[in-house]
Amino acid sequence: MNGIRVISTTVFASLCLAAWTPNAGAAVQMREIQTFDAGLRTTDLAAGDLDGDGDIDLAFTNMVGNSIGLAFNQGDGSFADFVDLPLPQDRKNPLALDVGDVDGDGVIDIVVAYNQTIENSPQPFKDSAVMVLWGAPDGTYTPTILTMFGVPSSVLIADVNADGRNDVVVGNNGGFQFDVGFIDQVDAGIVIWTNKGSRSFNAAREVTSEGSIVDVAAGDINGDGVLDVFGSNQGVVSIQSNPIAIVLSGVRVTLFTNTGGQLQNTSRVNLTLPPWDVEPFDSNGDQYTDFAVAIVGESDPINVLSFTGKNASVNLYENTGTGFTLKSKIATPGVTYAVSPHDFDGDGDVDVAATVQEISGNVLIPSLWIYEQTEPGVYTETDALPLDAEPRYLETRDFDGDGDLDVAVLCVVKDSSDATDSEIGKISVFENLYLTPSSAIGWELLK
């Protein structure tokens, strides 16, 4: 006889709760669920629902491959159905990207910054541009090109003039003019294209920063309800005469505040060592956005743009409404590239994930480090998850749809712009075990 055995509703509800409950009081725990190949010399990573199915997908730039890679989420946090999207119109060297709905049609667009002549050119700074790839429901893209000067480092899609339309902001390393005895760095800062609607933009507006902006992020700095921009600023490169050396000075987080609908370089938070990634977060629920910044550590004595990882850290700054105060400094064991301040264990406070390249003699040890906030302002290492290569970029999203935050890390195998010397990058996806199902319990169909 076929039939259905019915569990009482009270017991059934209790069993379901037991089957899917937070790991209360447990340390932040993650496990790797997948590592897959990206493209040749992969340089940036972004996350969004690219195919409109409700799951978070990944997009990444393949600099030497002259393409954008798309990896589609299978619904459980694993990725397949990989697509290699060549840059249209024979454009080359994509360096950075972001994804978001720029034209307001409900379909995710891709904004990618590239440098057409980065190879074999003494002055590649005049041939950079930003391409907006307008997404269509059938998975095709139509390009619009926005020109700029300098070498783009990062892309941000955000409504920075509060008109309800997403704009485009690009971090700019600027251009360099070389002569005997000096290096002149010009036009470093950010470039903004405000959205006019109908897939068009106002003319580019540059805001300089006295140093290379390597990352940009949006948050409300002054509590007025309008988005401002944080810029991770690696400073100014110059030549020191005695002794002769290339030096890096003026490292900081530059604050671009929205004034009258326009971003202005209004203030800065000075740092002692160069930053990489900057990430806004809210530590206390007030109207002021705080930020975390990854500090790469000391520079190599010979090459100031190569970092030893000594004295690297993650610094967390609290926005007091009148300025920023360093609240926590988490010492990290090597070059620290990306930081993600989020509540990973659901206890209501902010934990930290960071990508670290530890240097031990001639051995490189890349890993994803997890730091749990165990008491206010105190962070304790709970895990160091191994990675395959230099971990440059990180995205935090609920990739497996279980209600907690997971992490994807992009690793660069070899930092080369030479097509014959480049290698395939790697992306590793880590599942957060804060919300983890046990054995399935519920209705049981009997025969």
PDB file of all heavy atoms in Angstrom, residues 227-242:
ATOM      1  N   LEU A 227      26.447  58.891  -1.775  1.00  0.00           N
ATOM      2  CA  LEU A 227      27.672  58.104  -1.872  1.00  0.00           C
ATOM      3  C   LEU A 227      28.882  58.978  -2.162  1.00  0.00           C
ATOM      4  O   LEU A 227      28.848  59.855  -3.032  1.00  0.00           O
ATOM      5  CB  LEU A 227      27.537  57.038  -2.954  1.00  0.00           C
ATOM      6  CG  LEU A 227      26.629  55.855  -2.643  1.00  0.00           C
ATOM      7  CD1 LEU A 227      26.570  54.914  -3.840  1.00  0.00           C
ATOM      8  CD2 LEU A 227      27.106  55.101  -1.400  1.00  0.00           C
ATOM      9  N   ASP A 228      29.956  58.709  -1.427  1.00  0.00           N
ATOM     10  CA  ASP A 228      31.270  59.275  -1.679  1.00  0.00           C
ATOM     11  C   ASP A 228      32.184  58.140  -2.133  1.00  0.00           C
ATOM     12  O   ASP A 228      31.745  56.999  -2.272  1.00  0.00           O
ATOM     13  CB  ASP A 228      31.806  59.932  -0.405  1.00  0.00           C
ATOM     14  CG  ASP A 228      30.769  60.857   0.244  1.00  0.00           C
ATOM     15  OD1 ASP A 228      30.415  61.855  -0.405  1.00  0.00           O
ATOM     16  OD2 ASP A 228      30.319  60.564   1.369  1.00  0.00           O
ATOM     17  N   VAL A 229      33.466  58.439  -2.348  1.00  0.00           N
ATOM     18  CA  VAL A 229      34.397  57.423  -2.844  1.00  0.00           C
ATOM     19  C   VAL A 229      35.657  57.393  -1.997  1.00  0.00           C
ATOM     20  O   VAL A 229      36.254  58.444  -1.708  1.00  0.00           O
ATOM     21  CB  VAL A 229      34.755  57.673  -4.333  1.00  0.00           C
ATOM     22  CG1 VAL A 229      35.912  56.782  -4.776  1.00  0.00           C
ATOM     23  CG2 VAL A 229      33.529  57.416  -5.217  1.00  0.00           C
ATOM     24  N   PHE A 230      36.048  56.186  -1.604  1.00  0.00           N
ATOM     25  CA  PHE A 230      37.330  55.940  -0.953  1.00  0.00           C
ATOM     26  C   PHE A 230      38.334  55.521  -2.033  1.00  0.00           C
ATOM     27  O   PHE A 230      38.027  54.637  -2.840  1.00  0.00           O
ATOM     28  CB  PHE A 230      37.231  54.822   0.077  1.00  0.00           C
ATOM     29  CG  PHE A 230      36.303  55.111   1.237  1.00  0.00           C
ATOM     30  CD1 PHE A 230      34.926  54.936   1.117  1.00  0.00           C
ATOM     31  CD2 PHE A 230      36.812  55.543   2.447  1.00  0.00           C
ATOM     32  CE1 PHE A 230      34.076  55.174   2.188  1.00  0.00           C
ATOM     33  CE2 PHE A 230      35.964  55.791   3.523  1.00  0.00           C
ATOM     34  CZ  PHE A 230      34.606  55.609   3.394  1.00  0.00           C
ATOM     35  N   GLY A 231      39.522  56.106  -2.021  1.00  0.00           N
ATOM     36  CA  GLY A 231      40.557  55.729  -2.968  1.00  0.00           C
ATOM     37  C   GLY A 231      41.790  55.216  -2.257  1.00  0.00           C
ATOM     38  O   GLY A 231      42.358  55.911  -1.400  1.00  0.00           O
ATOM     39  N   SER A 232      42.214  53.995  -2.574  1.00  0.00           N
ATOM     40  CA  SER A 232      43.448  53.445  -2.023  1.00  0.00           C
ATOM     41  C   SER A 232      44.618  54.006  -2.824  1.00  0.00           C
ATOM     42  O   SER A 232      44.765  53.722  -4.007  1.00  0.00           O
ATOM     43  CB  SER A 232      43.418  51.915  -2.104  1.00  0.00           C
ATOM     44  OG  SER A 232      44.600  51.359  -1.574  1.00  0.00           O
ATOM     45  N   ASN A 233      45.446  54.808  -2.157  1.00  0.00           N
ATOM     46  CA  ASN A 233      46.436  55.642  -2.839  1.00  0.00           C
ATOM     47  C   ASN A 233      47.845  55.162  -2.498  1.00  0.00           C
ATOM     48  O   ASN A 233      48.290  55.277  -1.360  1.00  0.00           O
ATOM     49  CB  ASN A 233      46.242  57.091  -2.399  1.00  0.00           C
ATOM     50  CG  ASN A 233      47.024  58.083  -3.238  1.00  0.00           C
ATOM     51  OD1 ASN A 233      48.071  57.748  -3.770  1.00  0.00           O
ATOM     52  ND2 ASN A 233      46.523  59.290  -3.335  1.00  0.00           N
ATOM     53  N   GLN A 234      48.547  54.616  -3.490  1.00  0.00           N
ATOM     54  CA  GLN A 234      49.903  54.116  -3.266  1.00  0.00           C
ATOM     55  C   GLN A 234      50.973  55.183  -3.399  1.00  0.00           C
ATOM     56  O   GLN A 234      52.159  54.877  -3.378  1.00  0.00           O
ATOM     57  CB  GLN A 234      50.197  52.941  -4.189  1.00  0.00           C
ATOM     58  CG  GLN A 234      49.527  51.655  -3.744  1.00  0.00           C
ATOM     59  CD  GLN A 234      50.049  50.436  -4.455  1.00  0.00           C
ATOM     60  OE1 GLN A 234      50.776  50.522  -5.450  1.00  0.00           O
ATOM     61  NE2 GLN A 234      49.661  49.267  -3.972  1.00  0.00           N
ATOM     62  N   GLY A 235      50.571  56.435  -3.505  1.00  0.00           N
ATOM     63  CA  GLY A 235      51.529  57.519  -3.403  1.00  0.00           C
ATOM     64  C   GLY A 235      52.202  57.909  -4.699  1.00  0.00           C
ATOM     65  O   GLY A 235      51.782  57.549  -5.797  1.00  0.00           O
ATOM     66  N   VAL A 236      53.288  58.646  -4.543  1.00  0.00           N
ATOM     67  CA  VAL A 236      54.012  59.249  -5.667  1.00  0.00           C
ATOM     68  C   VAL A 236      55.381  58.615  -5.787  1.00  0.00           C
ATOM     69  O   VAL A 236      56.114  58.487  -4.801  1.00  0.00           O
ATOM     70  CB  VAL A 236      54.148  60.769  -5.460  1.00  0.00           C
ATOM     71  CG1 VAL A 236      54.943  61.396  -6.597  1.00  0.00           C
ATOM     72  CG2 VAL A 236      52.768  61.417  -5.343  1.00  0.00           C
ATOM     73  N   VAL A 237      55.726  58.206  -7.011  1.00  0.00           N
ATOM     74  CA  VAL A 237      57.050  57.654  -7.294  1.00  0.00           C
ATOM     75  C   VAL A 237      57.980  58.789  -7.710  1.00  0.00           C
ATOM     76  O   VAL A 237      57.628  59.603  -8.557  1.00  0.00           O
ATOM     77  CB  VAL A 237      56.975  56.594  -8.409  1.00  0.00           C
ATOM     78  CG1 VAL A 237      58.360  56.062  -8.736  1.00  0.00           C
ATOM     79  CG2 VAL A 237      56.047  55.461  -8.007  1.00  0.00           C
ATOM     80  N   SER A 238      59.156  58.850  -7.102  1.00  0.00           N
ATOM     81  CA  SER A 238      60.129  59.882  -7.472  1.00  0.00           C
ATOM     82  C   SER A 238      61.544  59.321  -7.336  1.00  0.00           C
ATOM     83  O   SER A 238      61.738  58.215  -6.825  1.00  0.00           O
ATOM     84  CB  SER A 238      59.962  61.119  -6.576  1.00  0.00           C
ATOM     85  OG  SER A 238      60.143  60.785  -5.213  1.00  0.00           O
ATOM     86  N   ILE A 239      62.524  60.110  -7.793  1.00  0.00           N
ATOM     87  CA  ILE A 239      63.922  59.693  -7.733  1.00  0.00           C
ATOM     88  C   ILE A 239      64.629  60.470  -6.635  1.00  0.00           C
ATOM     89  O   ILE A 239      64.590  61.705  -6.610  1.00  0.00           O
ATOM     90  CB  ILE A 239      64.630  59.909  -9.086  1.00  0.00           C
ATOM     91  CG1 ILE A 239      64.016  59.000 -10.151  1.00  0.00           C
ATOM     92  CG2 ILE A 239      66.116  59.617  -8.962  1.00  0.00           C
ATOM     93  CD1 ILE A 239      64.621  59.160 -11.526  1.00  0.00           C
ATOM     94  N   GLN A 240      65.240  59.730  -5.730  1.00  0.00           N
ATOM     95  CA  GLN A 240      66.045  60.341  -4.669  1.00  0.00           C
ATOM     96  C   GLN A 240      67.482  60.442  -5.161  1.00  0.00           C
ATOM     97  O   GLN A 240      68.010  59.500  -5.758  1.00  0.00           O
ATOM     98  CB  GLN A 240      65.960  59.459  -3.413  1.00  0.00           C
ATOM     99  CG  GLN A 240      66.828  59.898  -2.267  1.00  0.00           C
ATOM    100  CD  GLN A 240      66.682  58.957  -1.097  1.00  0.00           C
ATOM    101  OE1 GLN A 240      65.670  58.945  -0.408  1.00  0.00           O
ATOM    102  NE2 GLN A 240      67.692  58.128  -0.890  1.00  0.00           N
ATOM    103  N   SER A 241      68.143  61.587  -4.907  1.00  0.00           N
ATOM    104  CA  SER A 241      69.462  61.833  -5.481  1.00  0.00           C
ATOM    105  C   SER A 241      70.619  61.290  -4.648  1.00  0.00           C
ATOM    106  O   SER A 241      71.633  60.871  -5.195  1.00  0.00           O
ATOM    107  CB  SER A 241      69.656  63.342  -5.708  1.00  0.00           C
ATOM    108  OG  SER A 241      69.534  64.038  -4.489  1.00  0.00           O
ATOM    109  N   ASN A 242      70.478  61.276  -3.325  1.00  0.00           N
ATOM    110  CA  ASN A 242      71.616  60.873  -2.499  1.00  0.00           C
ATOM    111  C   ASN A 242      71.157  60.040  -1.303  1.00  0.00           C
ATOM    112  O   ASN A 242      70.642  60.592  -0.326  1.00  0.00           O
ATOM    113  CB  ASN A 242      72.370  62.109  -1.996  1.00  0.00           C
ATOM    114  CG  ASN A 242      73.677  61.747  -1.297  1.00  0.00           C
ATOM    115  OD1 ASN A 242      74.199  60.661  -1.508  1.00  0.00           O
ATOM    116  ND2 ASN A 242      74.177  62.675  -0.481  1.00  0.00           N
TER     117      ASN A 242
END
